[in-house]
Amino acid sequence: MANDDGTARAAGHGTAGVERPGTAAGRGKGRPRGRPRSFDRETALEKALLAFWEHGYEATSVSDLTRVMDIGAPSLYAAFGDKRSLFEEVVQVYGTRYGSFTDRALAEEPTARAAVERTLREAAAAYTEPGHPHGCLVVHAAANCSTPEVEQSLRDRRNANIAAFESRIRADVAAGVLPPGTDAAALARHTGAMIQGMSQQARDGASREGLEAVAEIAMCIWPRTGTHTG
């Protein structure tokens, strides 16, 4: 038999008259068999992140996860909970480690236009960066997802970004940076559509330069007013 971590379990019955290490007779009242091996949680979490990023939520099974994380199922459940709980943690880590460029642009740039231009430019770089799957995990993981709670959570994250862009655009309209007739909701949704489309294009093989050209064209629709150019 085998332990849950894949190592061989010592047989319960040895040759008559011989006490083998690990048997009940040889061990007495020592520690129980089948103890899961220790592992580095952060390393395992990063491996799970890459698996979900590459294959999406639905297509990544628990057996896929235990294989790439190099742990047994009991260890996975003990450390991370179920697959959905693990995925929720993965999304949090992804947002901090790989997907924070939108939040930074909105926080650091003086205008909505500048924030969106920076976001699209950095998306072109992030979505095509070597060393990890291309595109955006939050966009790709929702593809063919049949788990309503996961699908809704990812949708909420994407819509939150659009709402943040809309808020900045409305602020610029109120400040006179953008014309009073600017459709803030449509402009924000256009930005969301560009980000999501660039993610898919990156997965389809678009280069960073190609996506940067798309971003430049996308910014041509932005209205300007007075001397406030963003």
Side-chain angles (χ1 to χ4, degrees), residues 69-110:
M69 297 166 77
D70 195 27
I71 60 176
S75 295
L76 185 152
Y77 292 128
F80 301 101
D82 58 11
K83 174 184 168 181
R84 180 180 160 194
S85 298
L86 171 59
F87 180 71
E88 289 172 355
E89 187 170 351
V90 157
V91 172
Q92 292 289 341
V93 172
Y94 173 84
T96 301
R97 191 171 299 166
Y98 299 101
S100 61
F101 55 85
T102 296
D103 290 340
R104 289 196 305 269
L106 286 167
E108 296 171 6
E109 295 300 327

Side-chain angles (χ1 to χ4, degrees), residues 13-60:
H13 301 284
T15 303
V18 177
E19 292 182 355
R20 296 180 179 176
T23 63
R27 190 176 60 248
K29 294 183 179 181
R31 63 190 181 191
R33 295 173 297 175
R35 171 176 290 181
R37 62 185 171 191
S38 61
F39 64 95
D40 183 271
R41 192 179 190 281
E42 291 305 310
T43 299
L45 184 61
E46 178 70 11
K47 291 177 178 178
L49 186 155
L50 295 174
F52 281 125
W53 194 350
E54 178 65 32
H55 304 291
Y57 177 80
E58 208 68 38
T60 306

Side-chain angles (χ1 to χ4, degrees), residues 15 24 31 41 45 52 67 82 95 114 122-123 125 144 163-164 169 173-174 186 194 207 210 224:
T15 303
R31 63 190 181 191
R41 192 179 190 281
L45 184 61
F52 281 125
R67 186 183 70 255
D82 58 11
E122 293 191 9
N144 302 316
I169 294 167
V173 172
M194 292 305 306
S207 67
R224 298 174 184 268

Side-chain angles (χ1 to χ4, degrees), residues 156-222:
D156 289 345
R157 283 181 170 273
R158 295 191 299 271
N159 285 337
N161 278 342
I162 294 173
F165 287 127
E166 182 176 348
S167 178
R168 286 296 305 276
I169 294 167
R170 290 190 184 281
D172 279 5
V173 172
V177 177
L178 291 170
T182 300
D183 189 334
L187 199 53
R189 192 156 295 281
H190 172 266
T191 301
M194 292 305 306
I195 293 170
Q196 294 170 32
M198 288 170 69
S199 171
Q200 184 58 53
Q201 287 290 305
R203 291 193 67 88
D204 289 344
S207 67
R208 173 177 177 174
E209 293 73 19
L211 293 181
E212 286 175 339
V214 169
E216 185 175 349
I217 293 171
M219 295 308 300
C220 292
I221 73 165
W222 274 69

